[in-house]
Each structure stands twice: as structure tokens, then as C-alpha cells.
Amino acid sequence: MTDTYTVEAVVLRTDDFGDANRVVTLFTRQFGKIEANAYGCRRARSPLSGALQMFNHISATLTRGSKVDTIREADIVNFHDALTADLDRLAYASLLFEIVNRMTFPHQAEPEIFRLLTDALPALNRRNPQIAALIGACQFMEHSGVQLSFSRCVHCGRDIDGDAAISLLDGGAVCNNCIDAAQDVEPYPAALRTTFETMLAFDWQDATQLTFSRRQIIAAEKFFIDYVQGVIGAELKSVHFIREFVAR
Ligand SMILES: [Zn+2]
């Protein structure tokens, strides 16, 4: 096994340490999520400084270390200028990236999640960032191993028709016949189900304007945040950011 390897990756998170160093969490096409050290990358003249910023799509060369690998070179494949210039975009891109970071494990190759991130970034940069982040979260869940059943009753398996209920504890939709058997049910209006179904089926290459009702978007956002926070047993930091800074 060679000591040097190259990956294509999205910068999922960065944490500064020391005078000019950074721990960089990458979501790579090849190996899933990895953490690596980047020494000196916060110095303006470092050749790494431009590439190792959150949300960048990069190509990076690393060397293996006994505990942590080190990023030696990094080049930008694609970067999204509006994400750091616009608070709404920054907040919602942070929400999607935090969800992916908190709900994935290192060194599990998941190319479909890498593809989802590289598809979602241009949409977060250009389209309605709240809707893009929620579609990203909805599609990410499908790959995460904790996906919810949105269209079928988790108890009896029947297709849901009209207004029904939903249970985060049970794992999704509950039909009206099974409500008594379900735990902690909440209302699940037909319009919210349609919203989830549209999000799951959404094709990122389709440039048609996205139309969702304001009320369903607010309901979907609350739903995903509650669900992820329930699964990880902690609060998402980006949620505070959204509550504080994003104009409603
Ligand atoms: Zn049922």
C-alpha cells in the first residue's frame, strides 16, 4: 500500500488548531468521510489556504499517518461563491452539511452521498437554499440507514391515503387504522406527504422552479430537525444559526 493517495472530496467541516493548522473533514467519493490534518493552511500564502474551505469541491493528495492522514496538496474542482457571502445560503448549507456529518461514520464508502452533496451545492448556491437543504436532507435520509416510511404505513404496509399520522419513534407514516398501535403520533397531512414524496423524487438536474407551499416547507423543516436531533440525541448547531440570522 502506497503512502500517498488522491481523493475527490467535498469539505464537510473544518476545525482550527494551533497557529495556522486545521483538521479538515472530507466527504470523499472513494472512501466516504475522512478526517485529515492540514498544516499551515490558515496562512495566506499557503498553497492549501484557498481549497480547504467548507463547501468546496476539491481534489486532494494525502499521505497516510499512523493516526491521522495529512493533506499535502488540494485543488478546487468547484466552488460556490454565494454560500459564504449570503447568510441564508450559509445557514442552510451548514444545516445539510451538519446533518450529513453527524449521521455518517468514517471510512464507509458511500458514493451516492458524495454525489448528493455535489448535486446539492450548486442548488444551495443558486436556488432557494431552504428548499435545497431540505431536499438534500430528505434524500440523504434514504441513504443513511435510518430512512422513514413516507408513503406506506409502518405498521400494516398499506399505502397512505389522505390525512394520516406520523411517528418518528415507529419510523414513519401511520394509517388511520393503526393509530392506536403507534407511539407518539403527530398529524401527517396529505400535503406534507406530497411534499416529502416530491423531495425524494427530485432530480437536481431539473431546472424547473421549485414550488412548495410555505406552510409545508416550515413543517418539513421542523420535521427533519426534530428527527435528526432525536437520532443523534443532541442539538444541531446550525439550527441556532438559522433561528438567529435567517430572516423569516
Ligand atoms: Zn396501517
Side-chain angles (χ1 to χ4, degrees):
M1 191 156 52
T2 165
D3 281 347
T4 301
Y5 63 100
T6 298
V7 292
E8 186 184 352
V10 167
V11 180
L12 203 55
R13 179 188 163 117
T14 64
D15 294 285
D16 294 346
F17 75 96
D19 284 345
N21 314 319
R22 191 167 270 174
V23 180
V24 183
T25 308
L26 299 173
F27 203 99
T28 71
R29 182 196 290 280
Q30 294 88 343
F31 311 112
K33 185 170 77 173
I34 60 174
E35 269 186 14
N37 289 340
Y39 295 100
C41 73
R42 281 154 53 216
R43 291 193 188 102
R45 63 176 188 283
S46 163
L48 297 174
S49 69
L52 299 182
Q53 311 281 346
M54 258 189 92
F55 312 121
N56 281 354
H57 176 182
I58 64 171
S59 162
T61 302
L62 297 88
T63 50
R64 286 180 217 284
S66 56
K67 290 202 182 92
V68 182
D69 296 355
T70 299
I71 301 174
R72 301 293 175 183
E73 284 174 35
D75 294 303
I76 294 172
V77 174
N78 217 334
F79 106 111
H80 306 282
D81 56 348
L83 292 184
T84 45
D86 174 338
L87 277 184
D88 275 30
R89 295 186 189 283
L90 176 62
Y92 279 106
S94 300
L95 175 67
L96 177 60
F97 274 48
E98 189 179 10
I99 289 173
V100 172
N101 189 35
R102 296 299 298 266
M103 295 186 69
T104 49
F105 296 96
H107 301 287
Q108 293 186 359
E110 290 166 307
E112 65 288 344
I113 294 176
F114 173 78
R115 200 173 318 118
L116 173 62
L117 291 173
T118 53
D119 281 342
L121 279 167
L124 288 161
N125 194 54
R126 207 177 58 237
R127 305 176 83 165
N128 180 318
Q130 183 183 25
I131 293 175
L134 296 177
I135 293 174
C138 190
Q139 295 190 356
F140 166 71
M141 295 303 177
E142 285 293 295
H143 301 299
S144 68
V146 291
Q147 70 267 47
L148 289 157
S149 176
F150 290 121
S151 304
R152 288 213 184 116
C153 173
V154 286
H155 286 274
C156 70
R158 279 199 203 102
D159 285 342
I160 300 285
D161 186 27
D163 294 341
I166 195 158
S167 163
L168 294 177
L169 278 178
D170 293 358
V174 178
C175 79
N176 292 316
N177 293 331
C178 297
I179 281 191
D180 290 342
Q183 325 170 65
D184 278 352
V185 287
E186 294 197 35
Y188 188 38
L192 184 59
R193 187 182 76 250
T194 306
T195 298
F196 289 145
E197 287 169 349
T198 306
M199 288 180 166
L200 279 179
F202 177 72
D203 173 1
W204 296 95
Q205 309 330 317
D206 179 354
T208 315
Q209 166 115 32
L210 299 166
T211 50
F212 291 99
S213 86
R214 189 81 206 118
R215 178 198 268 206
Q216 296 317 324
I217 286 299
I218 290 167
E221 179 174 308
K222 180 181 183 309
F223 181 87
F224 284 123
I225 289 171
D226 286 352
Y227 183 54
V228 171
Q229 292 187 152
V231 171
I232 66 177
E235 294 200 337
L236 292 164
K237 289 198 185 106
S238 49
V239 170
H240 292 280
F241 187 43
I242 288 170
R243 301 275 178 270
E244 269 190 57
F245 294 109
V246 174
R248 297 268 142 186

